[in-house]
């Protein structure tokens, strides 16, 4: 019997045999999480074959030197996995077998985009890849989602808690989860991640560090909106990709320990033990940059809550020119992906607070970076210096 693409539809797990290393497909393979997953697989010699699929060419992806072998040209395929006509080329292997693990690390990662952008680049991508993986009987399909799908609350959210996405990106990630769960025969695991940070990151923590550099330059106190208790939970990228790999193994091994009362589709939160808050970040930044840090009073925070657009616009106006001046003074003519630009979506008074006990208990996972600390943050700044991004 052959499948719709003309290859024998042998389940991937059966095709590889008992002890052979899995063949791996990473969609969004040059994105931040995708490249670190490829590096983890390469360093630990975990796979018999790795294919990285991305719309972006390696030369334009700001890859650091240590990714050269893990993300080499022979592993890379430029393609758009949201387009159905691209899927046979993406999923077909030369030996006629199927991939064992498919990791969907792709999708739109920019904030504050139009809904249509997320629908096309995130939802359509997830659904197209999921259907193809189900058709080919892939042993594990791991969907990278976000912890921002929950109704915000300072107390850690469990996987069974109410969802109420507070970013447009998260709304479409949750829709993708729901659509994937409807696909018959898809061996799906969903991972909802906290703020991912680490070397070369340019997202949430990186923005705070860039802001701190501006305030250090201006000799001003760095004041945060809201209060020190606002939860901004984190996970180090190296732990995040270890969790992805463990989830795929666990799925292929038969999902041992999964309680059917939790739902048909395994969903896990991925978050470190630090219960990171704005207070955590404020203290770290004050120490590392030797600047005073604090929080706006309740009056200003109340005003900001009602006039967030104006507050964010004013803030960006205040910081972007000094950042440009710093880059010019450091002779950085080709700025990297770092910026102190603040996204109003991320400045909402909303907690990202997750309970990760289920994944640790069911899958036997242990975090190597249990909390964000001074060493991790200094390491991030050092990584920016190595790449010539840091003024």
């Amino acid at each position: 019997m052959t499948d719709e693409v003309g290859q024998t539809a042998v389940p991937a797990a059966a095709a590889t045999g008992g002890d052979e290393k899995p063949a791996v497909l990473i969609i969004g393979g040059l994105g931040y999480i995708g490249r670190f997953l490829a590096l983890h697989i390469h360093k630990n010699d975990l796979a018999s074959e790795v294919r990285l699929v991305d719309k972006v060419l390696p030369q334009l992806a700001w890859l650091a030197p240590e990714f050269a072998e893990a993300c080499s040209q022979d592993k890379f395929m430029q393609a758009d996995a949201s387009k159905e006509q691209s899927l046979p080329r993406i999923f077909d292997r030369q030996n006629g077998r199927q991939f064992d693990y498919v990791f969907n690390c792709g999708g739109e990662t920019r904030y504050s985009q139009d809904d249509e952008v997320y629908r096309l680049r995130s939802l359509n991508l997830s659904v197209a890849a999921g259907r193809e993986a189900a058709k080919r009987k892939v042993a594990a399909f791991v969907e990278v989602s976000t912890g921002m799908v929950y109704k915000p609350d300072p107390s850690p959210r469990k996987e069974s808690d109410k969802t109420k996405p507070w970013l447009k990106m998260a709304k479409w990630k949750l829709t993708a989860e729901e659509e994937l769960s409807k696909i018959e025969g898809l061996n799906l695991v969903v991972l909802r991640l906290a703020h991912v940070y680490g070397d070369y990151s340019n997202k949430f923590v990186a923005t705070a560090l860039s802001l701190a550099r501006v305030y250090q330059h201006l000799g001003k106190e760095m004041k945060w909106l809201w209060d020190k208790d606002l939860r901004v939970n984190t996970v180090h990228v190296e732990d995040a990709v270890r969790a992805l790999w463990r989830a795929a193994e666990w799925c292929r091994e038969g999902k041992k320990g999964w309680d059917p009362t939790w739902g048909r589709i395994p969903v896990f939160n991925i978050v470190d033990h630090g219960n990171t808050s704005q207070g955590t970040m404020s203290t770290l930044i004050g120490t590392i940059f030797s600047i005073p840090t604090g929080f706006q009073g309740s009056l200003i925070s109340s005003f900001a809550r009602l006039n967030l657009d104006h507050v964010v616009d004013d803030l960006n106006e205040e910081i972007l020119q000094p950042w440009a001046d710093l880059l010019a003074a450091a002779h950085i003519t080709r700025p990297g992906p770092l910026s102190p630009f603040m996204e109003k979506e991320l400045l909402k008074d909303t907690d990202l607070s997750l309970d990760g006990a289920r994944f640790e208990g069911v899958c036997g996972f242990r975090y190597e970076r249990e909390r964000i600390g001074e060493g991790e943050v200094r390491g991030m700044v050092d990584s920016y210096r190595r790449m010539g991004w840091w003024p």
Side-chain angles (χ1 to χ4, degrees):
M1 179 182 171
T2 59
D3 65 12
E4 294 172 38
V5 291
Q7 293 185 318
T8 304
V10 179
T16 47
D19 297 323
E20 193 173 331
K21 292 172 184 174
V24 176
L25 171 63
I26 306 175
I27 296 168
L30 296 186
Y32 186 63
I33 293 172
R35 69 183 63 179
F36 269 95
L37 177 59
L39 185 62
H40 175 69
I41 293 167
H42 176 72
K43 278 182 173 178
N44 295 283
D45 194 20
L46 297 174
S48 59
E49 179 184 340
V50 177
R51 179 177 295 169
L52 311 176
V53 174
D54 210 295
K55 291 193 297 183
V56 176
L57 288 167
Q59 299 92 312
L60 303 175
W62 304 104
L63 288 172
E66 59 258 45
F67 295 97
E69 289 184 37
C71 301
S72 58
Q73 194 65 45
D74 61 306
K75 296 185 177 79
F76 174 72
M77 176 184 288
Q78 186 180 29
D80 183 351
S82 68
K83 302 280 193 292
E84 203 168 321
Q85 62 268 30
S86 301
L87 295 174
R89 189 167 69 93
I90 289 169
F91 276 79
D92 285 350
R93 296 175 61 204
Q94 281 190 334
N95 62 10
R97 294 178 177 180
Q98 303 298 344
F99 285 103
D100 300 287
Y101 299 165
V102 175
F103 296 93
N104 182 21
C105 305
E108 182 56 70
T109 58
R110 293 175 300 168
Y111 301 109
S112 309
Q113 302 299 300
D114 290 338
D115 280 322
E116 187 64 7
V117 172
Y118 294 117
R119 187 182 71 78
L120 290 172
R121 297 181 186 171
S122 293
L123 175 63
N124 287 6
L125 170 67
S126 294
V127 173
R131 284 177 179 156
E132 193 71 16
K135 186 168 69 178
R136 294 169 182 261
K137 299 180 173 61
V138 167
F141 183 92
V142 181
E143 174 75 1
V144 178
S145 189
T146 172
M148 297 174 198
V149 298
Y150 296 107
K151 183 179 180 182
D153 196 287
S155 61
R157 301 292 80 196
K158 295 182 178 179
E159 292 85 350
S160 55
D161 284 331
K162 185 177 180 181
T163 54
K164 188 180 179 182
W166 46 276
L167 290 184
K168 278 198 281 188
M169 179 199 299
K171 179 182 81 172
W172 288 100
K173 278 291 188 185
L174 183 61
T175 305
E177 290 183 24
E178 291 163 351
E179 292 302 311
L180 286 170
S181 71
K182 298 173 186 173
I183 298 174
E184 280 297 318
L186 181 62
N187 294 310
L188 173 65
V189 182
V190 174
L191 302 187
R192 293 172 175 169
L193 275 55
H195 286 300
V196 179
Y197 75 95
D199 289 3
Y200 315 111
S201 166
N202 67 339
K203 291 297 182 187
F204 178 76
V205 174
T207 302
L209 299 182
S210 303
L211 271 171
R213 179 68 186 96
V214 171
Y215 282 106
Q216 183 188 50
H217 168 66
L218 296 174
K220 289 185 175 180
E221 181 180 9
M222 182 171 167
K223 283 196 169 185
W224 304 60
L225 280 174
W226 324 128
D227 60 42
K228 65 181 178 63
D229 295 320
L230 187 73
R231 299 292 182 253
V232 289
N233 282 186
T234 51
V235 62
H236 193 278
V237 65
E238 290 174 6
D239 277 332
V241 299
R242 287 176 53 246
L244 262 66
W245 187 260
R246 179 64 196 124
E249 286 182 321
W250 173 82
C251 185
R252 190 186 189 189
E253 290 162 1
K255 304 177 185 175
K256 294 170 189 168
W258 182 256
D259 186 336
T261 63
W262 296 338
R264 192 173 63 83
I265 302 301
V267 177
F268 296 108
N269 294 334
I270 306 300
V271 59
D272 64 26
H273 294 172
N275 196 19
T276 312
S277 65
Q278 286 203 144
T280 311
M281 295 307 304
S282 175
T283 301
L284 282 170
I285 282 172
T287 301
I288 291 165
F289 289 89
S290 301
I291 58 173
T293 61
F295 294 86
Q296 303 286 3
S298 57
L299 189 65
I300 291 178
S301 289
S302 296
F303 175 80
R305 200 173 277 113
L306 298 171
N307 302 275
L308 196 55
D309 285 10
H310 294 302
V311 170
V312 176
D313 287 345
D314 288 348
L315 177 62
N316 283 327
E317 200 172 302
E318 180 186 327
I319 59 169
L320 289 178
Q321 187 56 53
W323 177 256
D325 294 342
L326 280 167
L327 293 174
H331 306 292
I332 298 173
T333 54
R334 185 175 176 246
L338 286 183
S339 171
F341 181 82
M342 296 299 295
E343 294 282 358
K344 57 178 170 284
E345 272 200 311
L346 275 182
L347 268 182
K348 292 177 180 175
D349 184 12
T350 43
D351 292 279
L352 177 59
S353 181
L354 303 177
D355 182 330
R358 176 189 282 183
F359 187 66
E360 293 183 75
V362 172
C363 297
F365 186 78
R366 294 293 173 265
Y367 289 87
E368 292 179 355
R369 313 264 190 147
E370 293 204 344
R371 64 195 69 248
I372 186 169
E374 198 177 320
E376 284 77 16
V377 176
R378 289 191 188 278
M380 289 175 70
V381 175
D382 288 343
S383 76
Y384 305 147
R385 286 200 177 102
R386 290 196 299 273
M387 294 297 285
W389 299 344
W390 189 255

